[in-house]
Amino acid sequence: MALSVRRQPRYKFAAPVLSPSCLQKLCVPWEFAARLAAGAGDVHVVDLLGKPRRVELCVRPRPDGGVACWLGAGWPEIVRKNGIGEGWSVVLRRERRGMATLTAFDPACCLVRLCAPPAGVTSKTRPRLIKLLRPDDWEKMTIPDEFVQQHLIGLESCPSSQKALIIGPTGKLWPVELDQRQSDVLYGEVWAEFLTAHDLSQGNILLFRYEVNMSFSVQVFLPNGCMKEYPYLADEADGPSTALPQSAKQLVAATVSKKRKYNRQVVSAIPAPVPAIKAKKVESQSKPAGVLRGHSFTKQITSSSLTKLFAVKRTFCSSIGLVGACTIELKTSMESTRSWPVAFNIANTYGYLTGKGWKRFCRDNEVEEGDRCTFKVVEKMVWHVVIN
C-alpha cells in the first residue's frame, strides 16, 4: 500500500497587540475554533511554562448569522501566571482536537521564553518575532531593536550583510535589501514584490522565524488572525530555484503511468530521459542523470518522519534518477560547507530517508513535528533543505 504524504499543517491563530479586554477573554475566529473543538466546551492550552491548562471555549450565534467564539474561564489565569499584559501578542497552534499550544510575544514583538534550557544545552526554539503590518511597512520594515540586540549583534554576517533572505510560505526565497545605514531595516523592490506576491496589506500579520545567516522564514496571517493559505503550496511541487529564477512557462515533458494494482494514474514531470541502469549496482548512482533546476517538493514533518523514516514519492525519485540505495547529502545553507550524509533507500512505491544520519539532521537543525520542509535538488545526491 502506498504511503500517503499529504497532511494538513497544524493550524494557527495570531492575536497581535492585545487590548485590556483580551486579557479577560480572547476572541478567536470560527475557523480556528472549529478546528480546535467540535463545539463549546473545555479545551486545553499548553502555556509558556509547558503546563496544560483547562480553558472554556465559548460559542454563541450572532444576530448577523455569524458565530462568536472566545476563550473564557481559565484564560485570565493563563494570562496572570505567564505574565502576559496589554500590548503583548499571542499565537495559538492547534496540536490536536481539544489541545493548543500558546506562544507569546512581548510589546517589542519578540518571542518570550519562560522555560530556560539547562546550562550548556541549546534551546530548540528558534528566535521569532511577530509584526502587524502598517502603512509605513510597505516601503520598509524595521526589525525590532531588542531582537537585533539579542540575536543579530555579534554575528559576522549581520553588520556587513547587504541582504536578508526571506523564505516565504511557499518556500520561495526573496533576497531583501538591508539599509546600509540601518542593518535592521528591510526595504527595496524585492521587499515590495514579496508583499505584493503574497497579497499583503495593512492588518496582515507576519510571523518571522530566524534561521541562520540573516535568513528568516515567514508565516502569514489574515487580519482576523487566521493563517493565510496559499492554494499553490503543495506537498510536492516544482518550485522556483533557490539560486536562479525559473520561468513559470518553462515546459517539461509529462509522462502518465498507471498503477496496475490500484488502476490509479500518476503524473510525473520528467525533465530528461534517465540513462539505463543495471540492477543491483549501487555504484551506478554516480552516473549523470538529467536533473531539473529547481526540482523540489515540500512536505510536513510527522512524528513517524522523526522516529522512523521520511517518505519521498517514487515519481519524484524516478524523475531525478534515484532508483536504489545511496547516500544523500542534506544541506541547510549553500554558503556553508556543512552537510549531513543520510541513508536513502527505495521501497516498492516510495523512496525514503532513514537511519542515524536522518535523525542527526533533525536533531542538529531542531526539526520538529509540524514543520514544513522544502527539499530542493542541487545535484542528484545533494539536496538543499529549507525548514519552515
Side-chain angles (χ1 to χ4, degrees):
M1 179 181 294
L3 291 182
S4 173
V5 297
R6 184 176 295 276
R7 297 179 182 272
Q8 287 291 334
R10 286 188 287 182
Y11 202 77
K12 293 180 181 178
F13 159 71
V17 194
L18 298 178
S19 64
S21 62
C22 293
L23 305 181
Q24 300 303 315
K25 72 173 187 178
L26 181 66
C27 294
V28 298
W30 164 249
E31 293 87 346
F32 178 79
R35 286 173 168 85
L36 183 60
D42 288 343
V43 297
H44 287 86
V45 175
V46 181
D47 67 7
L48 307 184
L49 298 169
K51 182 177 181 179
R53 298 186 183 275
R54 184 174 296 177
V55 179
E56 182 184 9
L57 175 62
C58 303
V59 179
R60 179 181 299 171
R62 295 201 307 253
D64 61 1
V67 180
C69 307
W70 68 93
L71 298 181
W75 173 248
E77 181 182 2
I78 291 179
V79 168
R80 184 175 66 256
K81 289 185 177 294
N82 290 267
I84 298 173
E86 181 180 355
W88 284 46
S89 304
V90 296
V91 173
L92 289 171
R93 183 178 69 180
R94 178 194 181 277
E95 303 295 345
R96 60 178 183 270
R97 180 69 75 176
M99 172 87 58
T101 297
L102 173 72
T103 52
F105 301 80
D106 60 23
C109 304
C110 298
L111 179 68
V112 175
R113 296 190 184 98
L114 297 186
C115 294
V121 177
T122 303
S123 172
K124 293 184 67 175
T125 304
R126 295 191 184 96
R128 290 172 169 83
L129 65 95
I130 195 169
K131 182 71 176 180
L132 175 65
L133 286 181
R134 306 185 186 279
D136 293 343
D137 295 322
W138 188 261
E139 294 184 359
K140 61 181 182 179
M141 193 201 81
T142 303
I143 301 174
D145 184 64
E146 182 177 327
F147 187 90
V148 174
Q149 296 294 329
Q150 290 182 5
H151 306 294
L152 302 183
I153 292 297
L155 294 178
E156 60 275 8
S157 60
C158 181
S160 60
S161 176
Q162 296 182 0
K163 292 184 182 295
L165 194 62
I166 303 297
I167 307 168
T170 64
K172 183 177 179 180
L173 309 184
W174 302 79
V176 176
E177 293 181 67
L178 289 171
D179 193 327
Q180 295 181 357
R181 296 166 298 176
Q182 297 175 282
S183 61
D184 57 347
V185 175
L186 305 175
Y187 82 111
E189 293 183 1
V190 177
W191 172 246
E193 290 172 2
F194 170 80
L195 297 178
T196 302
H198 294 86
D199 193 25
L200 301 178
S201 59
Q202 180 179 358
N204 280 122
I205 306 157
L206 300 182
L207 182 59
F208 292 84
R209 183 173 73 177
Y210 182 67
E211 305 296 343
V212 68
N213 295 335
M214 289 304 294
S215 62
F216 299 82
S217 58
V218 180
Q219 290 182 328
V220 179
F221 297 81
L222 297 169
N224 68 350
C226 289
M227 287 188 71
K228 184 176 177 64
E229 300 182 36
Y230 295 91
Y232 45 87
L233 177 61
D235 288 316
E236 181 173 298
D238 293 325
S241 169
T242 59
L244 298 173
Q246 181 181 8
S247 171
K249 297 182 179 181
Q250 183 175 359
L251 299 178
V252 295
T255 64
V256 180
S257 61
K258 292 186 178 180
K259 289 186 177 180
R260 296 178 182 177
K261 185 174 180 180
Y262 301 101
N263 195 28
R264 294 170 60 187
Q265 287 189 336
V266 179
V267 179
S268 57
I270 308 297
V274 179
I277 301 177
K278 294 183 179 180
K280 298 183 180 180
K281 285 193 175 181
V282 177
E283 60 270 17
S284 64
Q285 291 289 352
S286 61
K287 291 185 178 181
V291 177
L292 178 66
R293 283 185 176 181
H295 210 56
S296 65
F297 69 92
T298 301
K299 182 178 175 183
Q300 185 178 10
I301 298 296
T302 66
S303 59
S304 177
S305 300
L306 293 173
T307 58
K308 296 179 181 179
L309 59 84
F310 180 86
V312 182
K313 284 186 177 181
R314 184 63 180 265
T315 51
F316 181 85
C317 300
S318 299
S319 70
I320 61 173
L322 289 177
V323 296
C326 65
T327 299
I328 302 292
E329 297 286 334
L330 299 182
K331 298 175 69 69
T332 56
S333 173
M334 299 311 298
E335 298 177 356
S336 172
T337 58
R338 186 175 184 185
S339 63
W340 288 261
V342 177
F344 176 86
N345 215 329
I346 290 286
N348 289 334
T349 55
Y350 59 94
Y352 58 93
L353 300 170
T354 188
K356 295 181 179 179
W358 170 245
K359 293 180 181 179
R360 185 180 299 110
F361 172 82
C362 294
R363 182 177 65 251
D364 292 350
N365 293 281
E366 304 173 0
V367 179
E368 301 175 346
E369 182 181 356
D371 287 342
R372 296 185 70 87
C373 295
T374 299
F375 295 78
K376 298 177 180 291
V377 177
V378 181
E379 298 175 8
K380 182 169 67 175
M381 290 184 287
V382 178
W383 297 0
H384 178 211
V385 186
V386 178
I387 305 168
N388 190 10

